[in-house]
Amino acid sequence: MFNLIIVDLKQSVASWRLWTLLGWLEVRQRYARSRVGPFWLTISMGVMIGSIGVVYGSLFGQKMSDYLPFLSISLVMWGTFSQIVIEGSTAYINSGQYIRQASTPKLIYILQVVWRNLVILAHNFLIVLVLLIVFGVKSWITLPIFIPALILYLINALWIAMVTALLSARFRDLPQIVAAVMQIAFYITPIIYRPDSLRRFSFIVEFNPLAHLVELVRAPLIGQFPSPLTWIVAISMAILGWLFALALTGRFLKRIPYWV
């Protein structure tokens, strides 16, 4: 079981030219004949950050120079995570024609989703860079931590996408459930509000693993060190999640062509 999925994983990683090309072509086709192209996503994200920032920043009594970078990082990073999970749930279904006709490693379709959203992240991250330049970097010491934090963040998104993709191929109602769950998770995760603003309901943040994941990539960019608990939660999720995802996918890997 593990041998089968490990071989598939190795072959998928080795086929990086294929899934990066497929992911890049999807982005280009989605915005074909558009002068702005993928930057429409950046524009819409910038408008959303500006409108939410002004409204909620005023409601929460926040200082804009602190709140706008906080909000932009939260929304951009959460958007990447949620889209990987949501689009991952339909990865095998949307690629069913290729899966049935060609004997290719199955995980390339999950990696394709991750790569496509990394391209979009690169566009949207320009907003974060602009705000950091305008309002200033809070701490240059914490900035390098963002790189390993981002890698760990994506590793967790990847195994969740693997699980949702497999289960969605078998149960076709699951993609809608995944999208609904991610919408609920958005509201109970400190993205538009600060983690310490819930007070009496702080347990919602403390026992929310997604809150720790977002904090992991947000803290270094706003001049803070992620707490040891945040690192422990993120690393534990990655280890346990990947073991579960590999075991589950390895168990049903050969059935994917029949399900799609």
Side-chain angles (χ1 to χ4, degrees), residues 237-254:
M237 284 182 63
I239 295 174
L240 297 177
W242 266 91
L243 290 176
F244 174 71
L246 290 175
L248 186 68
T249 306
R251 174 69 175 81
F252 299 104
L253 188 66
K254 293 183 178 180

Side-chain angles (χ1 to χ4, degrees), residues 80 127 139 149 157 159 194 226:
T80 300
I127 302 172
S139 173
W159 75 257
R194 294 188 180 276

Side-chain angles (χ1 to χ4, degrees), residues 106-131:
K106 304 302 183 292
L107 295 183
I108 65 171
Y109 305 107
I110 310 297
L111 294 173
Q112 175 186 344
V113 169
V114 175
W115 172 252
R116 181 171 66 245
N117 282 282
L118 275 177
V119 173
I120 296 173
L121 172 63
H123 288 79
N124 289 339
F125 202 76
L126 292 175
I127 302 172
V128 176
L129 293 178
V130 169
L131 289 176

Side-chain angles (χ1 to χ4, degrees), residues 6-198:
I6 293 300
V7 170
D8 189 279
L9 179 60
K10 289 180 178 179
Q11 291 177 347
S12 297
V13 174
S15 304
W16 63 270
R17 291 182 179 85
L18 176 60
W19 49 264
T20 53
L21 177 62
L22 291 175
W24 179 251
L25 288 177
E26 276 193 303
V27 174
R28 292 192 61 182
Q29 289 174 359
R30 187 179 301 181
Y31 300 96
R33 303 180 66 180
S34 171
R35 292 183 180 275
V36 182
F39 284 102
W40 275 118
L41 291 173
T42 307
I43 294 172
S44 61
M45 177 66 75
V47 171
M48 183 169 65
I49 291 172
S51 57
I52 293 178
V54 172
V55 173
Y56 282 89
S58 300
L59 287 175
F60 297 150
Q62 298 289 316
K63 187 179 179 182
M64 287 300 169
S65 60
D66 293 331
Y67 184 65
L68 282 179
F70 170 90
L71 180 66
S72 65
I73 297 166
S74 300
L75 287 176
V76 168
M77 298 311 302
W78 173 261
T80 300
F81 183 88
S82 63
Q83 285 303 115
I84 289 176
V85 174
I86 293 173
E87 293 179 11
S89 66
T90 59
Y92 294 144
I93 298 173
N94 293 340
S95 302
Q97 183 177 0
Y98 301 109
I99 294 174
R100 291 190 299 269
Q101 295 181 359
S103 179
T104 56
K106 304 302 183 292
L107 295 183
I108 65 171
Y109 305 107
I110 310 297
L111 294 173
Q112 175 186 344
V113 169
V114 175
W115 172 252
R116 181 171 66 245
N117 282 282
L118 275 177
V119 173
I120 296 173
L121 172 63
H123 288 79
N124 289 339
F125 202 76
L126 292 175
I127 302 172
V128 176
L129 293 178
V130 169
L131 289 176
L132 289 179
I133 292 172
V134 171
F135 296 113
V137 176
K138 303 301 180 182
S139 173
W140 291 96
I141 299 177
T142 61
L143 281 183
I145 301 176
F146 174 73
I147 302 301
L150 177 62
I151 294 173
L152 186 55
Y153 188 73
L154 295 174
I155 286 174
N156 276 289
L158 181 55
W159 75 257
I160 297 175
M162 288 171 57
V163 173
T164 58
L166 182 70
L167 296 179
S168 296
R170 178 63 180 86
F171 306 102
R172 293 305 176 90
D173 291 329
L174 194 61
Q176 288 73 28
I177 297 175
V178 171
V181 169
M182 294 307 295
Q183 185 66 42
I184 296 171
F186 173 82
Y187 292 110
I188 64 174
T189 303
I191 296 172
I192 61 176
Y193 57 88
R194 294 188 180 276
D196 55 358
S197 62
L198 292 179

